[in-house]
Amino acid sequence: MTDYLDDRAERGADWGGWVGIEDEVRGQLARLLNVFPGEVAVTASASAGINAVASGIDFGARPKAVVSNYEFPTSAQIWHAQEARGAQVVHVAEAADHSIPLAHFDAAIDDQTAIVALSHVCYRHGAKLPTDEIRDIVRIAHDRGAMVILDCYQSIGTERIDVRALGVDFCVGGMLKYLLGSAGSGFLWASEARTAAIIPTTTGWFAQADTDAMDIFAHNPSRDARRFQGGTPPVPSLYSARAGLGLILATGVDAIEARVRSLTRYALDQLREAGIAVATPDKDALRGPMIAIPAHDDMALVAWLAERDIVVSCRDGNIRAGFHAYNIEAEVDRFVAELRVSGLCRDAAEVVAA
């Protein structure tokens, strides 16, 4: 961020430099996702990417948008906003154990479905759609003529996400969390086939084939994924995005994934020994980097921990603790110890009885 301020003071509006940084970030994201740079749109948020895709879908022949109940509010709200354009939103409910059985998707997706919206990890409780299930959902959707968009905001940077192997058509995420950047920057990956077929109606000059054309008499979208971008890039945020992605790529996603799995396993074991209830699934394949803990008063517990220099957040009655490669077991021990002292956690026996 200091580099941004220095560049701003020395060069003013350095469009050439800023475009260069955007291209660097696009290249880093392509390496992370194992795709071509031309398949990546650099956006201001995951919402911007989803909105761009939604704006280009004709809901006339296929009105249904199938939306998992794992979705972050912004994703579901965007699809509900399309109801004004003829969309019919169908929600896919989760089971009591926080999983979403494949049969639920199978029942919801039909030949009227235009798109299926999935979240890799649920922001409320940390449960994850396993890789094999995502592939099966994609198979069902494609067999019935529907597209699939995957939101990996809650997982990208902590495990390898191979969008081609998953078979999804689009993938969105952001730099704020596990990619170690800041708010105000995100991405959309779009397969070449879907990029060619969809022309967004939310657009801007950085979505044009020639950003220097300055043509006010026509809309000439880029042939690659840049057509899903908008106006001026989120320049300050891209400086931090470049730095964060550099750390992730230098460390290695496989090493980070192994470390995060080990830490979350250790945390779950410690919480179980302490008798503290956990909302996140226990199986490695069914959880991401976040552990959710039911609380009697989630906001009070967030404040209690903050006073002790432990930063968590809360959603849906749970506090959420996110783990990354830089965390250590001693921090987990102190976290669990403070939870026990607080008296604000629900204990495991209580939750099972309920």
Side-chain angles (χ1 to χ4, degrees):
M1 301 307 291
T2 301
D3 287 347
Y4 166 72
L5 293 173
D6 289 345
D7 287 349
R8 193 81 170 94
E10 293 173 12
R11 300 182 180 88
D14 181 20
W15 287 104
W18 292 347
V19 169
I21 292 174
E22 183 194 56
D23 284 340
E24 282 187 63
V25 169
R26 191 190 323 281
Q28 290 173 309
L29 286 164
R31 287 174 56 196
L32 186 66
L33 295 167
N34 194 29
V35 298
F36 299 118
E39 296 174 299
V40 179
V42 178
T43 64
S45 63
S47 303
I50 300 170
N51 268 310
V53 172
S55 77
I57 296 176
D58 179 359
F59 290 101
R62 287 179 166 268
K64 285 177 65 173
V66 172
V67 178
S68 88
N69 278 4
Y70 276 7
E71 299 311 292
F72 190 77
T74 192
S75 174
Q77 289 158 2
I78 288 168
W79 297 113
H80 276 289
Q82 306 313 306
E83 290 171 336
R85 301 176 53 237
Q88 300 169 8
V89 179
V90 175
H91 282 266
V92 183
E94 58 193 84
D97 64 355
H98 295 313
S99 69
I100 305 183
L102 181 63
H104 290 195
F105 286 102
D106 193 15
I109 302 167
D110 59 20
D111 61 5
Q112 294 292 296
T113 305
I115 194 160
V116 179
L118 306 176
S119 275
H120 194 205
V121 173
C122 180
Y123 80 102
R124 291 179 286 108
H125 48 62
K128 182 171 74 172
L129 286 174
T131 298
D132 289 345
E133 183 171 342
I134 293 174
R135 290 189 183 118
D136 286 338
I137 295 167
V138 170
R139 175 183 51 77
I140 292 169
H142 286 177
D143 285 349
R144 296 169 191 177
M147 302 177 290
V148 178
I149 183 168
L150 177 69
D151 182 344
C152 64
Y153 207 121
Q154 307 290 335
S155 58
I156 186 76
T158 64
E159 63 179 273
R160 185 168 296 283
I161 296 174
D162 189 331
V163 290
R164 295 198 201 285
L166 291 172
V168 297
D169 302 284
F170 306 97
C171 180
V172 297
M175 314 299 182
L176 175 62
K177 286 201 169 191
Y178 304 104
L179 291 181
L180 309 179
S182 67
S185 55
F187 68 88
L188 165 73
W189 171 81
S191 69
E192 289 182 325
R194 298 305 186 185
T195 296
I198 293 181
I199 300 177
T201 54
T202 61
T203 190
W205 67 309
F206 268 78
Q208 302 300 300
D210 180 5
T211 57
D212 294 326
M214 300 297 182
D215 185 355
I216 65 170
F217 299 101
H219 171 45
N220 183 22
S222 171
R223 292 186 177 182
D224 65 18
R226 289 185 300 115
R227 66 173 52 191
F228 296 102
Q229 295 186 180
T232 301
V235 174
S237 300
L238 292 181
Y239 278 73
S240 59
R242 177 176 61 175
L245 285 163
L247 288 168
I248 296 295
L249 292 168
T251 305
V253 176
D254 292 338
I256 293 172
E257 182 174 357
R259 178 61 178 159
V260 170
R261 186 180 296 115
S262 173
L263 278 170
T264 52
R265 176 76 272 151
Y266 180 76
L268 288 170
D269 292 344
Q270 297 303 107
L271 290 163
R272 184 175 58 252
E273 287 184 17
I276 296 172
V278 174
T280 306
D282 187 73
K283 291 183 179 178
D284 290 351
L286 299 180
R287 71 171 189 276
M290 178 180 74
I291 293 177
I293 299 166
H296 294 294
D297 186 333
D298 54 349
M299 294 185 69
L301 185 49
V302 169
W304 164 278
L305 292 169
E307 290 173 357
R308 289 150 180 82
D309 295 327
I310 299 173
V311 181
V312 298
S313 62
C314 61
R315 294 288 187 275
D316 202 28
N318 302 316
I319 66 160
R320 309 182 308 168
F323 296 85
H324 216 318
Y326 47 73
N327 290 123
I328 59 175
E329 285 78 2
E331 292 171 325
V332 175
D333 294 338
R334 192 164 76 85
F335 174 54
V336 175
E338 294 292 356
L339 289 176
R340 294 181 67 176
V341 173
S342 75
L344 292 168
C345 296
R346 299 181 66 186
D347 55 63
E350 172 192 357
V351 171
V352 170

